[in-house]
Amino acid sequence: MVSGATVVFEKVQTDYQRFLEIEQSLLDPGITADPTQVSALARERGALAKIAIPYGRYLEVSRQVAEAQELFAGETHAEMPSYASAELESLRMRQQAEKEALRDLLYDRTAGAGHAALIVEIRAGTGGNEAALFARDLYEMYRRFAEKMGWKFEVLDMEATELGGFREVSFSVAGEGAFRHLQFESGCHRVQRVPETEAQGRIHTSTATLAVLPEPEDVDIVIRTEDLLIDVMRSGGPGGQHQNKTESGVRITHLPTGVVVNCRDERSQYKNKSKAMRILRSRLYDQMRETARTERDQTRRALIGSGDRSQKIRTYNFPQNRVTDHRIGLTLYNLDQIIQGDLLPLTKALIEHDRSEQLGDL
């Protein structure tokens, strides 16, 4: 059975050979005389260069390491071994650095980390008011994380409870590395703590579900107007009497799939419709990705999981100040920091695990 890492590496080698062929072609006077052909080759070269150039650097430094090893093995002069050894060690460090940079590029390409933006949907699960308060805490955790990372954060829809929790909330996050760090947050999040309303001091368990949806560009998915059913409703956003008088809320139903999106956060019907379309496009795109992923590889991400909302992925235990990610068996005792938005220890561990699963030791 051919491993995923082998397939990825073979694709890199193929792309690199094609890159070299194009470089030679662009030196051929017979080809350079044809502007159309030159333009086509230049575009193809640009697409391949992102991987081919770093791979070429890795091959070159690997060649230098091999030469230094051969020189070191055959050296007989008394003062040369220490010099050759230092040179060899320096080359090996460069080789490792080039290798890791190449692996990062390959992982970003295979993991879909090129997405510039994503939409996160949080819904209160089992646990009543406590679950809604937990959903709010998760929302604040991701908002603070986005702020620390310098990402753009925008609320799309919000349904609050009387106690200040959220029945559901959706927001977009955009910025370099946003999808890469948040792609594994989908699933069931569980909290264990003493609710503020608990008089006996008993620990309760509640849940909230998350869905992380890549926000596609318009070219990724086309939605036909005739496939949409658009209804207006009373707005649930801020404004007191306003929400009882104005039908600015929007509900969009995508008839072919049955996907329904509500958006009530803005006072403007136009703005709510625009946000609802963004959410709808992301949900449909996520369905397409999930179908393709299932058909392509049923066993991919065995521990990370597919992002199914029913999958219990993490437990937040407040009495023990503990966070446990069940997919990779990681337990951290700094929940107080994580809930304030310090998520990097979690997201980096998940990225590294998935990176190893996909690429292996190339």
Side-chain angles (χ1 to χ4, degrees):
M1 187 179 200
V2 179
S3 70
T6 300
V7 172
V8 170
F9 189 53
E10 289 177 350
K11 179 66 166 60
V12 173
Q13 291 177 309
T14 301
D15 288 351
Y16 181 66
Q17 290 302 319
R18 176 56 183 161
F19 178 82
L20 295 181
E21 291 173 5
I22 294 174
E23 293 270 82
Q24 288 299 313
S25 296
L26 290 174
L27 297 176
D28 186 342
I31 292 178
T32 56
D34 182 353
T36 302
Q37 193 172 4
V38 169
S39 178
L41 287 173
R43 285 196 300 271
E44 185 179 359
R45 180 193 179 282
L48 295 172
K50 296 177 182 178
I51 289 295
I53 291 177
Y55 182 59
R57 289 200 301 264
Y58 174 69
L59 290 179
E60 174 59 23
V61 73
S62 296
R63 181 190 64 77
Q64 294 176 16
V65 167
E67 289 182 351
Q69 287 175 329
E70 184 178 353
L71 178 65
F72 181 72
E75 183 57 55
T76 59
H77 194 280
E79 296 180 358
M80 287 300 292
S82 59
Y83 170 79
S85 178
E87 179 68 16
L88 178 59
E89 182 61 25
S90 175
L91 287 170
R92 283 175 174 165
M93 291 176 63
R94 283 180 52 201
Q95 182 188 38
Q96 184 64 26
E98 294 291 353
K99 175 183 176 182
E100 291 304 311
L102 180 61
R103 281 166 59 87
D104 282 341
L105 287 170
L106 291 173
Y107 176 68
D108 284 349
R109 185 164 75 169
T110 58
H115 294 291
L118 60 134
I119 289 176
V120 179
E121 297 180 339
I122 304 177
R123 288 181 174 83
T126 58
N129 285 327
E130 172 63 11
L133 291 172
F134 179 48
R136 180 201 62 191
D137 291 341
L138 290 177
Y139 162 82
E140 290 293 342
M141 179 180 73
Y142 292 115
R143 183 188 63 78
R144 294 184 183 107
F145 184 46
E147 185 178 292
K148 291 175 185 290
M149 299 296 288
W151 299 329
K152 180 182 178 182
F153 186 94
E154 179 185 5
V155 176
L156 299 178
D157 192 31
M158 182 184 295
E159 185 178 352
T161 66
E162 293 181 358
L163 295 180
F166 292 146
R167 291 186 183 90
E168 58 182 81
V169 59
S170 59
F171 52 89
S172 69
V173 183
E176 184 177 354
F179 183 80
R180 188 182 195 196
H181 281 277
L182 295 176
Q183 61 183 316
F184 301 122
E185 296 302 294
S186 293
C188 181
H189 294 239
R190 181 175 65 175
V191 63
Q192 295 173 329
R193 64 183 175 187
V194 179
E196 296 177 5
T197 56
E198 172 57 56
Q200 303 297 322
R202 293 173 298 183
I203 296 175
H204 287 224
T205 298
S206 304
T207 63
T209 58
L210 249 78
V212 176
L213 313 172
E215 187 167 7
E217 301 292 339
D218 289 342
V219 295
D220 289 324
I221 185 168
V222 177
I223 300 176
R224 301 187 306 170
T225 304
E226 55 266 34
D227 289 338
L228 301 178
L229 175 63
I230 302 177
D231 299 307
V232 295
M233 54 190 176
R234 301 291 183 186
S235 174
Q241 295 179 352
H242 165 82
Q243 66 182 26
N244 298 318
K245 295 180 179 180
T246 307
E247 292 187 334
S248 59
V250 174
R251 177 189 296 113
I252 299 180
T253 304
H254 186 247
L255 299 175
T257 62
V259 174
V260 179
V261 176
N262 297 306
C263 197
R264 299 146 295 202
D265 190 56
E266 299 284 351
R267 291 189 178 188
S268 163
Q269 186 180 118
Y270 172 80
K271 290 182 179 179
N272 280 329
K273 181 180 177 182
S274 177
K275 287 184 174 182
M277 285 298 297
R278 287 173 60 187
I279 297 173
L280 175 63
R281 188 175 290 110
S282 291
R283 288 187 186 176
L284 294 178
Y285 183 59
D286 188 60
Q287 285 187 358
M288 291 170 54
R289 290 175 67 250
E290 183 64 28
T291 299
R293 180 165 56 231
T294 301
E295 293 174 351
R296 182 172 64 247
D297 187 1
Q298 293 289 346
T299 61
R300 186 172 178 258
R301 295 178 184 173
L303 293 179
I304 292 295
S306 63
D308 187 341
R309 297 183 197 184
S310 66
Q311 181 187 20
K312 187 181 298 180
I313 66 166
R314 192 174 297 151
T315 295
Y316 304 75
N317 186 298
F318 278 77
Q320 298 178 13
N321 197 34
R322 170 175 60 84
V323 176
T324 298
D325 195 289
H326 304 289
R327 297 163 295 179
I328 59 175
L330 175 67
T331 296
L332 301 173
Y333 290 91
N334 61 340
L335 173 55
D336 55 337
Q337 298 174 34
I338 288 173
I339 207 69
Q340 292 299 318
D342 292 332
L343 282 170
L344 280 179
L346 276 171
T347 62
K348 285 183 175 179
L350 289 163
I351 290 170
E352 184 54 37
H353 179 88
D354 188 58
R355 184 173 179 259
S356 298
E357 288 286 303
Q358 290 200 47
L359 301 183
D361 186 15
L362 291 179

